[in-house]
Amino acid sequence: MTDFAATKAMFHIPDGMIYLDGNSLGPLPRGTADRVGRVIADEWGEMLITGWNKAGWMEQPTRVGDRIARLIGAEPGHVVMGDTLSIKVYQALASALEMRPDRRVILSDSGNFPSDLYMAEGLIASLGRGHELRVVAPEDVAANITDAVAVTLITEVDYRTGRKHDMADLTARAHAAGVLTVWDLAHSAGALPVDLAGAGADFAVGCTYKYLNGGPGAPAFIYVAPRHADAARPALSGWLGHAAPFAFDSAYRPGAGIERMRVGTPPVLALAALEAAMDIWDRTTMQDIRSASIALTERFIKGIEATCPMLTLASPRDADQRGSQVSFRFDDGYAAMQALIARGVVGDFRAPDIMRFGFTPLFIDAGDVDRAIAVIADVMTNSLWDRPEYKTRARVT
Amino acid sequence: MTDFAATKAMFHIPDGMIYLDGNSLGPLPRGTADRVGRVIADEWGEMLITGWNKAGWMEQPTRVGDRIARLIGAEPGHVVMGDTLSIKVYQALASALEMRPDRRVILSDSGNFPSDLYMAEGLIASLGRGHELRVVAPEDVAANITDAVAVTLITEVDYRTGRKHDMADLTARAHAAGVLTVWDLAHSAGALPVDLAGAGADFAVGCTYKYLNGGPGAPAFIYVAPRHADAARPALSGWLGHAAPFAFDSAYRPGAGIERMRVGTPPVLALAALEAAMDIWDRTTMQDIRSASIALTERFIKGIEATCPMLTLASPRDADQRGSQVSFRFDDGYAAMQALIARGVVGDFRAPDIMRFGFTPLFIDAGDVDRAIAVIADVMTNSLWDRPEYKTRARVT
């Protein structure tokens, strides 16, 4: 069993704060500053250019990728880090479309994160070959998987409600219709067990600044199934995805397997921060995380529903159908969330009316949940959010 | 006049090392570790998600972009940071091709950095509309600018020889033929004065881990001329390039001007390292840098030619026609460079036979040049490189 008290001690959480927003930006692991400081001083500072070999910077994207592979059920050697989630969506989608040249539809759903849809739009406009981005309601995805569809672009866990798609089922339906799948794991990686290999997923992408605690703007990852890895053509064909980057050939030759999904020079400092955060994952398993996460979310839902009748559950009530977050609808949700944050209970707000709370067993325990419920009940039942200072909207992420 | 002794003191250079490879990876500014440490501890650690607003993370890409704009002659508000140079090449090139829909040629030269050519290849393959990447000899670029060309993709300073293109002249020739220009400033930004606005450049891109000292894998920049900035369509249309990222609209609407060239979540820690490095640039001007750089490179060429007849100058002899590096050809250049590095004179090797030395007045002075010449003369005239341990090639950048 995971010692969650020990993992909690590995994070810095500001005094008095109950941080239920690790699904937006994970908190700071205590080991990060030291690790990044050493990479700056001992590697960059002392090794300079030789750090690419001596300090293993060149292998960092696959070395860290392998540590994430373990959490998402990917085969070792088939995940690589780099760029941002949006860039990796573009690569996966462009590769998939080329593998289905006679089909024109990208199927997504209205619960997908907007940036994924924007990247698809941009790709379609660039290609200029009449592709269509078909966005249906989440519950209608399965019925819309037809042989007109080239690829599905689905975020497994909805960023607003936490509703979870059935990856294995949708992937099987897709394959039965000759459709490829791109899975966005932004709210899955580190949140719940993912079994990419078992589900037969074709491509997957994700970010590392949420449940994986890599820091603001931490690099993304991409997975390509072994059966496609030597055939996929990375639309973004940069030198570090070349078979021999340091031969400086004038023509592109894709590297073996997942290596070809690398693009430019890897972000060494950012990857060092992520690598420090990954140490914490050696202390647990995704099965332990999931059990603890369900216990926390069930406890939270029960406590809020018992005390806050004005809040309407927006997440699935069935724990099997949701990720590691719980969302409630409330018309003045923005103001209510500001009032909670002012009292140290940090969740976030998603338009138009979603109050979102993330539960990360690595650093949130039952006591935190109970304290959060008490604060929320006080704020909501006494309408403490109904003040002008909570209603002025700043830009939030 | 710049106090270069003062700027030199702002860098950490390992004891006994003469670092002539700042054109590959700039050395560590002394202020970097502290700045990054504070962003980690005080911003990420304490502010968590509110850092996006409170700590100004969201504006970081344009705030840092403005500091670089000053060095490259760009109009304020028209440079933004993010991703890698290869990704920014792709965006610039894709935008330019769409602005010249009836033309099919991307014109580049054989002195361009391979990754730029690879990205162009990848874009052409994705578009599938019969575009051609025409790669000519550097001296033939001008003659090949015709009305068949949509866009030129030229690195101003050759990464191997340091040969410098005439940006103003080629841009004028391009515009006369209705051709757009994408300038890669990888070996220009921080190396020599660049006047994007004066030259009328259309797009420019660059990296920040060379002369700008942002650290290994530091983020890239992109410039779009004000006259194009509200018309260019970023092929990579991510949420942070959206006009209203936090409205979470389902359809993409490009942000105003250069903002649309943002893609995903900005790399906050990496940008913090770069921001620390940019403080050093407040102590100097590109004119002072250029004068000092020419004095150093002239001194180096004179000293090497006087002592090492076996080395053949590969860089232009005319200082006006080269960047801030000096390269020599030598058949056993790889082994010779390893021998120099073993003696603390760090340059690098570029296949097939280029020994490359970068001169950065911020931390290299005349005494360093004289000491480097003495070491090189010793190694070359006494064939100290002719040992097996220097001939085994490791992967280098």
Side-chain angles (χ1 to χ4, degrees):
Chain A
M1 270 301 292
T2 303
D3 178 355
F4 284 117
T7 63
K8 185 171 184 170
M10 296 175 82
F11 288 92
H12 171 76
I13 308 286
D15 278 349
M17 182 184 290
I18 299 172
Y19 191 63
L20 303 178
D21 206 12
N23 51 334
S24 186
L25 175 66
L28 173 63
R30 290 190 187 278
T32 301
D34 184 57
R35 179 80 60 95
V36 174
R38 279 188 285 124
V39 170
I40 290 175
D42 301 344
E43 299 184 4
W44 175 15
E46 296 300 328
M47 299 178 190
L48 289 147
I49 192 67
T50 64
W52 289 108
N53 296 316
K54 279 191 203 163
W57 296 344
M58 201 49 77
E59 287 69 46
Q60 209 186 13
T62 44
R63 188 172 69 234
V64 180
D66 270 341
R67 298 182 76 173
I68 289 174
R70 190 178 75 84
L71 305 183
I72 58 176
E75 300 86 346
H78 290 273
V79 173
V80 72
M81 313 303 302
D83 308 300
T84 64
L85 177 49
S86 295
I87 296 290
K88 292 317 193 195
V89 164
Y90 190 88
Q91 283 188 286
L93 211 47
S95 294
L97 288 183
E98 287 198 11
M99 292 164 70
R100 292 293 178 271
D102 299 329
R103 300 185 178 199
R104 285 290 174 273
V105 175
I106 299 170
L107 179 64
S108 191
D109 74 68
S110 56
N112 204 348
F113 191 69
S115 196
D116 292 20
L117 304 178
Y118 303 161
M119 294 305 290
E121 260 192 73
L123 175 62
I124 288 171
S126 287
L127 297 181
R129 289 201 286 278
H131 285 92
E132 174 199 346
L133 174 61
R134 189 173 294 169
V135 180
V136 301
E139 58 274 21
D140 295 336
V141 169
N144 278 276
I145 294 176
T146 67
D147 62 11
V149 176
V151 56
T152 58
L153 174 62
I154 306 285
T155 297
E156 188 188 18
V157 175
D158 187 304
Y159 73 106
R160 290 168 307 188
T161 64
R163 179 220 12 89
K164 189 173 84 66
H165 278 297
D166 184 333
M167 181 186 287
D169 176 65
L170 287 181
T171 301
R173 288 172 187 264
H175 290 177
V179 176
L180 294 166
T181 55
V182 176
W183 286 100
D184 180 337
L185 304 180
H187 292 270
S188 305
L192 44 81
V194 176
D195 185 7
L196 289 176
D202 299 288
F203 297 87
V205 294
C207 63
T208 63
Y209 46 76
K210 297 181 184 289
Y211 292 95
L212 298 177
N213 312 303
F221 63 82
I222 184 168
Y223 162 83
V224 182
R227 64 186 177 281
H228 300 313
D230 285 320
R233 197 188 67 79
L236 305 172
S237 46
W239 71 310
L240 287 182
H242 193 281
F246 297 97
F248 300 105
D249 293 340
S250 60
Y252 183 73
R253 266 186 306 129
I258 196 70
E259 292 277 354
R260 67 184 56 189
M261 291 296 169
R262 296 173 68 155
V263 186
T265 305
V268 172
L269 304 186
L271 280 169
L274 174 59
E275 209 160 5
M278 293 310 297
D279 288 350
I280 301 172
W281 293 96
D282 294 341
R283 307 290 195 100
T284 190
T285 65
M286 289 313 304
Q287 285 64 35
D288 282 2
I289 291 278
R290 183 62 170 165
S291 303
S293 159
I294 289 176
L296 294 173
T297 54
E298 295 278 287
R299 188 181 190 100
F300 184 73
I301 292 171
K302 191 173 161 203
I304 294 296
E305 291 196 325
T307 55
C308 302
M310 70 294 287
L311 297 183
T312 307
L313 185 65
S315 298
R317 190 168 296 278
D318 177 357
D320 288 342
Q321 294 185 28
R322 64 174 187 257
S324 198
Q325 68 176 72
V326 173
S327 301
F328 287 92
R329 294 189 192 283
F330 181 61
D331 282 347
D332 276 304
Y334 180 83
M337 187 54 78
Q338 296 310 303
L340 292 179
I341 291 170
R343 282 163 185 77
V345 175
V346 179
D348 63 15
F349 172 78
R350 284 291 176 264
D353 61 355
I354 294 274
M355 297 172 69
R356 185 174 83 159
F357 303 92
F359 294 87
T360 316
L362 289 181
F363 58 86
I364 294 293
D365 59 26
D368 294 324
V369 170
D370 292 345
R371 282 187 290 280
I373 292 166
V375 171
I376 296 169
D378 182 41
V379 165
M380 297 310 300
T381 57
N382 296 307
S383 296
L384 300 181
W385 52 266
D386 194 14
R387 297 183 189 172
E389 69 263 34
Y390 297 141
K391 300 190 176 185
T392 309
R393 296 204 185 187
R395 195 158 66 164
V396 292
T397 58
Chain B
M1 270 303 289
T2 303
D3 179 354
F4 284 117
T7 64
K8 185 171 184 170
M10 296 174 83
F11 288 92
H12 170 76
I13 308 285
D15 279 349
M17 183 185 290
I18 299 172
Y19 192 65
L20 304 179
D21 206 11
N23 51 334
S24 185
L25 175 66
L28 173 62
R30 290 189 187 279
T32 300
D34 184 56
R35 180 78 60 96
V36 174
R38 279 189 284 123
V39 170
I40 290 175
D42 302 344
E43 298 184 3
W44 176 15
E46 296 299 327
M47 298 178 189
L48 288 147
I49 192 66
T50 64
W52 289 107
N53 297 315
K54 280 192 201 161
W57 296 343
M58 201 48 77
E59 287 69 46
Q60 209 186 14
T62 43
R63 187 171 72 235
V64 179
D66 271 341
R67 297 183 76 173
I68 289 174
R70 189 178 75 82
L71 305 183
I72 57 176
E75 299 86 346
H78 290 274
V79 174
V80 72
M81 312 304 302
D83 308 300
T84 65
L85 177 48
S86 295
I87 296 289
K88 291 319 194 194
V89 163
Y90 191 88
Q91 283 188 288
L93 212 47
S95 294
L97 288 183
E98 286 199 10
M99 293 164 70
R100 293 294 179 271
D102 300 329
R103 299 184 179 201
R104 285 289 174 275
V105 176
I106 298 171
L107 179 64
S108 191
D109 74 66
S110 56
N112 204 348
F113 190 69
S115 197
D116 292 21
L117 303 179
Y118 303 161
M119 294 304 290
E121 260 192 74
L123 175 62
I124 287 171
S126 287
L127 297 181
R129 288 202 286 278
H131 285 93
E132 175 199 347
L133 174 61
R134 189 173 294 169
V135 179
V136 302
E139 58 274 21
D140 294 336
V141 169
N144 278 276
I145 293 175
T146 67
D147 61 10
V149 176
V151 57
T152 58
L153 174 62
I154 306 284
T155 297
E156 188 188 18
V157 176
D158 187 305
Y159 74 105
R160 290 168 307 188
T161 65
R163 178 218 16 88
K164 188 172 84 67
H165 277 299
D166 184 332
M167 180 185 289
D169 177 65
L170 286 182
T171 302
R173 287 173 189 264
H175 290 177
V179 176
L180 293 166
T181 55
V182 175
W183 286 100
D184 180 338
L185 304 180
H187 291 268
S188 305
L192 44 82
V194 177
D195 185 7
L196 290 176
D202 299 289
F203 297 87
V205 294
C207 64
T208 62
Y209 47 76
K210 297 179 184 290
Y211 292 94
L212 298 176
N213 312 303
F221 63 83
I222 184 168
Y223 162 83
V224 181
R227 65 187 176 281
H228 300 313
D230 285 321
R233 196 188 67 81
L236 306 171
S237 47
W239 71 311
L240 287 182
H242 192 282
F246 297 97
F248 299 105
D249 293 340
S250 62
Y252 183 73
R253 267 187 304 130
I258 196 70
E259 292 276 353
R260 67 185 57 190
M261 291 295 169
R262 295 173 68 154
V263 187
T265 305
V268 172
L269 305 185
L271 280 168
L274 175 59
E275 209 160 3
M278 293 309 297
D279 288 351
I280 301 172
W281 294 96
D282 294 342
R283 307 289 195 98
T284 190
T285 65
M286 288 313 305
Q287 287 64 35
D288 283 1
I289 291 277
R290 182 62 170 165
S291 304
S293 159
I294 289 176
L296 294 173
T297 54
E298 295 278 289
R299 189 181 190 100
F300 184 72
I301 292 170
K302 191 173 161 202
I304 294 296
E305 291 196 325
T307 54
C308 302
M310 69 295 287
L311 298 183
T312 307
L313 184 66
S315 298
R317 190 168 296 278
D318 177 357
D320 288 343
Q321 292 184 29
R322 65 174 188 256
S324 198
Q325 69 177 71
V326 174
S327 301
F328 286 93
R329 294 189 192 281
F330 181 62
D331 282 348
D332 276 304
Y334 180 83
M337 187 55 77
Q338 296 310 303
L340 293 179
I341 292 170
R343 283 163 184 77
V345 175
V346 180
D348 61 16
F349 171 78
R350 284 292 176 263
D353 61 356
I354 294 274
M355 298 173 69
R356 185 174 82 157
F357 303 92
F359 294 86
T360 317
L362 289 181
F363 58 85
I364 294 293
D365 59 26
D368 294 324
V369 170
D370 292 345
R371 281 186 291 279
I373 292 166
V375 171
I376 296 169
D378 182 41
V379 165
M380 298 310 300
T381 56
N382 296 307
S383 296
L384 301 182
W385 52 267
D386 194 14
R387 298 183 190 173
E389 69 263 33
Y390 297 140
K391 298 191 176 184
T392 308
R393 296 205 184 187
R395 194 159 65 166
V396 292
T397 59

mmCIF file of all heavy atoms in Angstrom, chain A residues 110-139:
data_model
loop_
_atom_site.group_PDB
_atom_site.id
_atom_site.type_symbol
_atom_site.label_atom_id
_atom_site.label_comp_id
_atom_site.label_asym_id
_atom_site.label_seq_id
_atom_site.Cartn_x
_atom_site.Cartn_y
_atom_site.Cartn_z
ATOM 1 N N SER A 110 -17.819 17.654 -27.781
ATOM 2 C CA SER A 110 -17.916 19.004 -27.236
ATOM 3 C C SER A 110 -17.316 19.103 -25.833
ATOM 4 O O SER A 110 -17.189 20.190 -25.291
ATOM 5 C CB SER A 110 -19.388 19.448 -27.199
ATOM 6 O OG SER A 110 -20.152 18.502 -26.460
ATOM 7 N N GLY A 111 -16.934 17.961 -25.270
ATOM 8 C CA GLY A 111 -16.252 17.991 -23.980
ATOM 9 C C GLY A 111 -14.742 18.030 -24.130
ATOM 10 O O GLY A 111 -14.018 18.056 -23.138
ATOM 11 N N ASN A 112 -14.279 18.060 -25.359
ATOM 12 C CA ASN A 112 -12.830 18.109 -25.571
ATOM 13 C C ASN A 112 -12.301 19.488 -25.188
ATOM 14 O O ASN A 112 -13.023 20.484 -25.251
ATOM 15 C CB ASN A 112 -12.504 17.812 -27.037
ATOM 16 C CG ASN A 112 -11.089 17.280 -27.208
ATOM 17 O OD1 ASN A 112 -10.279 17.334 -26.285
ATOM 18 N ND2 ASN A 112 -10.790 16.769 -28.380
ATOM 19 N N PHE A 113 -11.034 19.524 -24.820
ATOM 20 C CA PHE A 113 -10.440 20.816 -24.483
ATOM 21 C C PHE A 113 -10.325 21.641 -25.763
ATOM 22 O O PHE A 113 -9.882 21.149 -26.798
ATOM 23 C CB PHE A 113 -9.062 20.615 -23.844
ATOM 24 C CG PHE A 113 -8.521 21.876 -23.251
ATOM 25 C CD1 PHE A 113 -9.108 22.422 -22.126
ATOM 26 C CD2 PHE A 113 -7.457 22.531 -23.833
ATOM 27 C CE1 PHE A 113 -8.627 23.606 -21.577
ATOM 28 C CE2 PHE A 113 -6.971 23.716 -23.287
ATOM 29 C CZ PHE A 113 -7.560 24.258 -22.157
ATOM 30 N N PRO A 114 -10.725 22.922 -25.699
ATOM 31 C CA PRO A 114 -10.759 23.722 -26.926
ATOM 32 C C PRO A 114 -9.459 23.720 -27.730
ATOM 33 O O PRO A 114 -9.497 23.705 -28.962
ATOM 34 C CB PRO A 114 -11.108 25.120 -26.406
ATOM 35 C CG PRO A 114 -11.958 24.858 -25.206
ATOM 36 C CD PRO A 114 -11.337 23.633 -24.572
ATOM 37 N N SER A 115 -8.309 23.707 -27.064
ATOM 38 C CA SER A 115 -7.067 23.796 -27.828
ATOM 39 C C SER A 115 -6.915 22.613 -28.785
ATOM 40 O O SER A 115 -6.385 22.765 -29.884
ATOM 41 C CB SER A 115 -5.845 23.886 -26.900
ATOM 42 O OG SER A 115 -4.709 24.334 -27.615
ATOM 43 N N ASP A 116 -7.406 21.455 -28.378
ATOM 44 C CA ASP A 116 -7.335 20.294 -29.272
ATOM 45 C C ASP A 116 -8.151 20.562 -30.534
ATOM 46 O O ASP A 116 -7.726 20.246 -31.651
ATOM 47 C CB ASP A 116 -7.870 19.038 -28.574
ATOM 48 C CG ASP A 116 -6.975 18.569 -27.432
ATOM 49 O OD1 ASP A 116 -6.178 19.370 -26.924
ATOM 50 O OD2 ASP A 116 -7.083 17.386 -27.050
ATOM 51 N N LEU A 117 -9.315 21.145 -30.326
ATOM 52 C CA LEU A 117 -10.177 21.453 -31.477
ATOM 53 C C LEU A 117 -9.531 22.529 -32.355
ATOM 54 O O LEU A 117 -9.580 22.452 -33.582
ATOM 55 C CB LEU A 117 -11.563 21.912 -30.998
ATOM 56 C CG LEU A 117 -12.294 20.922 -30.068
ATOM 57 C CD1 LEU A 117 -13.639 21.516 -29.619
ATOM 58 C CD2 LEU A 117 -12.527 19.581 -30.772
ATOM 59 N N TYR A 118 -8.911 23.518 -31.711
ATOM 60 C CA TYR A 118 -8.261 24.588 -32.488
ATOM 61 C C TYR A 118 -7.117 24.032 -33.330
ATOM 62 O O TYR A 118 -6.899 24.438 -34.471
ATOM 63 C CB TYR A 118 -7.687 25.676 -31.563
ATOM 64 C CG TYR A 118 -8.656 26.351 -30.615
ATOM 65 C CD1 TYR A 118 -8.176 27.042 -29.503
ATOM 66 C CD2 TYR A 118 -10.028 26.329 -30.823
ATOM 67 C CE1 TYR A 118 -9.028 27.683 -28.618
ATOM 68 C CE2 TYR A 118 -10.897 26.954 -29.933
ATOM 69 C CZ TYR A 118 -10.386 27.634 -28.828
ATOM 70 O OH TYR A 118 -11.223 28.263 -27.953
ATOM 71 N N MET A 119 -6.348 23.136 -32.734
ATOM 72 C CA MET A 119 -5.220 22.562 -33.488
ATOM 73 C C MET A 119 -5.741 21.761 -34.683
ATOM 74 O O MET A 119 -5.153 21.794 -35.762
ATOM 75 C CB MET A 119 -4.357 21.677 -32.590
ATOM 76 C CG MET A 119 -3.616 22.414 -31.473
ATOM 77 S SD MET A 119 -2.548 23.805 -31.953
ATOM 78 C CE MET A 119 -1.207 22.958 -32.783
ATOM 79 N N ALA A 120 -6.843 21.050 -34.468
ATOM 80 C CA ALA A 120 -7.445 20.294 -35.578
ATOM 81 C C ALA A 120 -7.922 21.248 -36.665
ATOM 82 O O ALA A 120 -7.684 21.022 -37.859
ATOM 83 C CB ALA A 120 -8.606 19.447 -35.063
ATOM 84 N N GLU A 121 -8.571 22.315 -36.247
ATOM 85 C CA GLU A 121 -9.021 23.346 -37.210
ATOM 86 C C GLU A 121 -7.851 23.876 -38.028
ATOM 87 O O GLU A 121 -7.937 24.040 -39.247
ATOM 88 C CB GLU A 121 -9.593 24.545 -36.439
ATOM 89 C CG GLU A 121 -11.071 24.622 -36.329
ATOM 90 C CD GLU A 121 -11.460 26.019 -35.795
ATOM 91 O OE1 GLU A 121 -11.369 27.007 -36.543
ATOM 92 O OE2 GLU A 121 -11.833 26.105 -34.602
ATOM 93 N N GLY A 122 -6.776 24.195 -37.331
ATOM 94 C CA GLY A 122 -5.602 24.757 -38.004
ATOM 95 C C GLY A 122 -5.006 23.767 -38.989
ATOM 96 O O GLY A 122 -4.620 24.127 -40.109
ATOM 97 N N LEU A 123 -4.942 22.513 -38.591
ATOM 98 C CA LEU A 123 -4.402 21.480 -39.477
ATOM 99 C C LEU A 123 -5.287 21.336 -40.714
ATOM 100 O O LEU A 123 -4.791 21.288 -41.848
ATOM 101 C CB LEU A 123 -4.308 20.145 -38.718
ATOM 102 C CG LEU A 123 -3.863 18.938 -39.543
ATOM 103 C CD1 LEU A 123 -2.459 19.125 -40.108
ATOM 104 C CD2 LEU A 123 -3.928 17.657 -38.702
ATOM 105 N N ILE A 124 -6.586 21.292 -40.484
ATOM 106 C CA ILE A 124 -7.523 21.145 -41.609
ATOM 107 C C ILE A 124 -7.372 22.310 -42.588
ATOM 108 O O ILE A 124 -7.329 22.115 -43.808
ATOM 109 C CB ILE A 124 -8.971 21.047 -41.072
ATOM 110 C CG1 ILE A 124 -9.187 19.686 -40.406
ATOM 111 C CG2 ILE A 124 -9.985 21.285 -42.184
ATOM 112 C CD1 ILE A 124 -10.506 19.552 -39.653
ATOM 113 N N ALA A 125 -7.275 23.512 -42.049
ATOM 114 C CA ALA A 125 -7.130 24.691 -42.920
ATOM 115 C C ALA A 125 -5.818 24.621 -43.694
ATOM 116 O O ALA A 125 -5.765 24.961 -44.884
ATOM 117 C CB ALA A 125 -7.198 25.972 -42.088
ATOM 118 N N SER A 126 -4.754 24.172 -43.046
ATOM 119 C CA SER A 126 -3.471 24.065 -43.745
ATOM 120 C C SER A 126 -3.542 23.028 -44.857
ATOM 121 O O SER A 126 -3.049 23.257 -45.962
ATOM 122 C CB SER A 126 -2.354 23.664 -42.768
ATOM 123 O OG SER A 126 -2.026 24.748 -41.928
ATOM 124 N N LEU A 127 -4.154 21.893 -44.552
ATOM 125 C CA LEU A 127 -4.194 20.816 -45.542
ATOM 126 C C LEU A 127 -5.032 21.222 -46.749
ATOM 127 O O LEU A 127 -4.697 20.877 -47.879
ATOM 128 C CB LEU A 127 -4.753 19.534 -44.913
ATOM 129 C CG LEU A 127 -3.926 18.931 -43.775
ATOM 130 C CD1 LEU A 127 -4.577 17.640 -43.263
ATOM 131 C CD2 LEU A 127 -2.487 18.662 -44.217
ATOM 132 N N GLY A 128 -6.138 21.927 -46.491
ATOM 133 C CA GLY A 128 -6.973 22.399 -47.603
ATOM 134 C C GLY A 128 -7.527 21.278 -48.469
ATOM 135 O O GLY A 128 -7.693 21.443 -49.678
ATOM 136 N N ARG A 129 -7.795 20.146 -47.852
ATOM 137 C CA ARG A 129 -8.309 19.024 -48.643
ATOM 138 C C ARG A 129 -9.714 18.612 -48.211
ATOM 139 O O ARG A 129 -10.120 17.469 -48.396
ATOM 140 C CB ARG A 129 -7.358 17.818 -48.513
ATOM 141 C CG ARG A 129 -6.033 18.033 -49.255
ATOM 142 C CD ARG A 129 -5.337 16.707 -49.572
ATOM 143 N NE ARG A 129 -4.727 16.081 -48.413
ATOM 144 C CZ ARG A 129 -3.522 16.412 -47.923
ATOM 145 N NH1 ARG A 129 -2.814 17.376 -48.483
ATOM 146 N NH2 ARG A 129 -3.033 15.782 -46.882
ATOM 147 N N GLY A 130 -10.429 19.554 -47.645
ATOM 148 C CA GLY A 130 -11.826 19.288 -47.340
ATOM 149 C C GLY A 130 -12.065 18.374 -46.151
ATOM 150 O O GLY A 130 -13.125 17.746 -46.057
ATOM 151 N N HIS A 131 -11.103 18.305 -45.243
ATOM 152 C CA HIS A 131 -11.378 17.554 -44.024
ATOM 153 C C HIS A 131 -12.436 18.275 -43.199
ATOM 154 O O HIS A 131 -12.623 19.489 -43.310
ATOM 155 C CB HIS A 131 -10.103 17.386 -43.183
ATOM 156 C CG HIS A 131 -9.147 16.379 -43.735
ATOM 157 N ND1 HIS A 131 -8.128 16.712 -44.590
ATOM 158 C CD2 HIS A 131 -9.066 15.032 -43.556
ATOM 159 C CE1 HIS A 131 -7.448 15.611 -44.919
ATOM 160 N NE2 HIS A 131 -7.996 14.586 -44.304
ATOM 161 N N GLU A 132 -13.115 17.497 -42.387
ATOM 162 C CA GLU A 132 -14.168 18.068 -41.535
ATOM 163 C C GLU A 132 -13.889 17.707 -40.082
ATOM 164 O O GLU A 132 -13.576 16.557 -39.785
ATOM 165 C CB GLU A 132 -15.525 17.477 -41.958
ATOM 166 C CG GLU A 132 -16.683 17.892 -41.058
ATOM 167 C CD GLU A 132 -17.907 16.968 -41.189
ATOM 168 O OE1 GLU A 132 -17.965 16.179 -42.154
ATOM 169 O OE2 GLU A 132 -18.781 17.019 -40.303
ATOM 170 N N LEU A 133 -13.994 18.698 -39.209
ATOM 171 C CA LEU A 133 -13.927 18.425 -37.768
ATOM 172 C C LEU A 133 -15.371 18.272 -37.295
ATOM 173 O O LEU A 133 -16.132 19.241 -37.271
ATOM 174 C CB LEU A 133 -13.235 19.581 -37.042
ATOM 175 C CG LEU A 133 -13.222 19.498 -35.507
ATOM 176 C CD1 LEU A 133 -12.478 18.256 -35.018
ATOM 177 C CD2 LEU A 133 -12.593 20.756 -34.916
ATOM 178 N N ARG A 134 -15.737 17.050 -36.959
ATOM 179 C CA ARG A 134 -17.118 16.787 -36.553
ATOM 180 C C ARG A 134 -17.148 16.676 -35.033
ATOM 181 O O ARG A 134 -16.555 15.759 -34.462
ATOM 182 C CB ARG A 134 -17.612 15.485 -37.206
ATOM 183 C CG ARG A 134 -19.098 15.223 -37.033
ATOM 184 C CD ARG A 134 -19.516 14.012 -37.867
ATOM 185 N NE ARG A 134 -19.411 14.227 -39.302
ATOM 186 C CZ ARG A 134 -19.512 13.261 -40.222
ATOM 187 N NH1 ARG A 134 -19.727 12.014 -39.856
ATOM 188 N NH2 ARG A 134 -19.397 13.559 -41.509
ATOM 189 N N VAL A 135 -17.830 17.629 -34.406
ATOM 190 C CA VAL A 135 -17.869 17.691 -32.943
ATOM 191 C C VAL A 135 -19.267 17.312 -32.483
ATOM 192 O O VAL A 135 -20.226 18.012 -32.782
ATOM 193 C CB VAL A 135 -17.496 19.097 -32.438
ATOM 194 C CG1 VAL A 135 -17.553 19.148 -30.912
ATOM 195 C CG2 VAL A 135 -16.111 19.494 -32.935
ATOM 196 N N VAL A 136 -19.364 16.208 -31.777
ATOM 197 C CA VAL A 136 -20.671 15.725 -31.318
ATOM 198 C C VAL A 136 -20.717 15.776 -29.794
ATOM 199 O O VAL A 136 -19.702 16.024 -29.142
ATOM 200 C CB VAL A 136 -20.932 14.281 -31.814
ATOM 201 C CG1 VAL A 136 -20.880 14.228 -33.340
ATOM 202 C CG2 VAL A 136 -19.930 13.302 -31.198
ATOM 203 N N ALA A 137 -21.875 15.536 -29.228
ATOM 204 C CA ALA A 137 -21.968 15.457 -27.767
ATOM 205 C C ALA A 137 -21.177 14.228 -27.299
ATOM 206 O O ALA A 137 -21.095 13.229 -28.023
ATOM 207 C CB ALA A 137 -23.428 15.346 -27.345
ATOM 208 N N PRO A 138 -20.613 14.305 -26.094
ATOM 209 C CA PRO A 138 -19.790 13.187 -25.606
ATOM 210 C C PRO A 138 -20.496 11.837 -25.696
ATOM 211 O O PRO A 138 -19.894 10.843 -26.084
ATOM 212 C CB PRO A 138 -19.490 13.583 -24.165
ATOM 213 C CG PRO A 138 -19.570 15.073 -24.156
ATOM 214 C CD PRO A 138 -20.625 15.433 -25.145
ATOM 215 N N GLU A 139 -21.777 11.816 -25.374
ATOM 216 C CA GLU A 139 -22.494 10.539 -25.358
ATOM 217 C C GLU A 139 -22.819 10.036 -26.766
ATOM 218 O O GLU A 139 -23.259 8.907 -26.943
ATOM 219 C CB GLU A 139 -23.779 10.654 -24.516
ATOM 220 C CG GLU A 139 -24.760 11.713 -24.967
ATOM 221 C CD GLU A 139 -24.470 13.103 -24.386
ATOM 222 O OE1 GLU A 139 -23.315 13.352 -23.956
ATOM 223 O OE2 GLU A 139 -25.394 13.945 -24.394
#
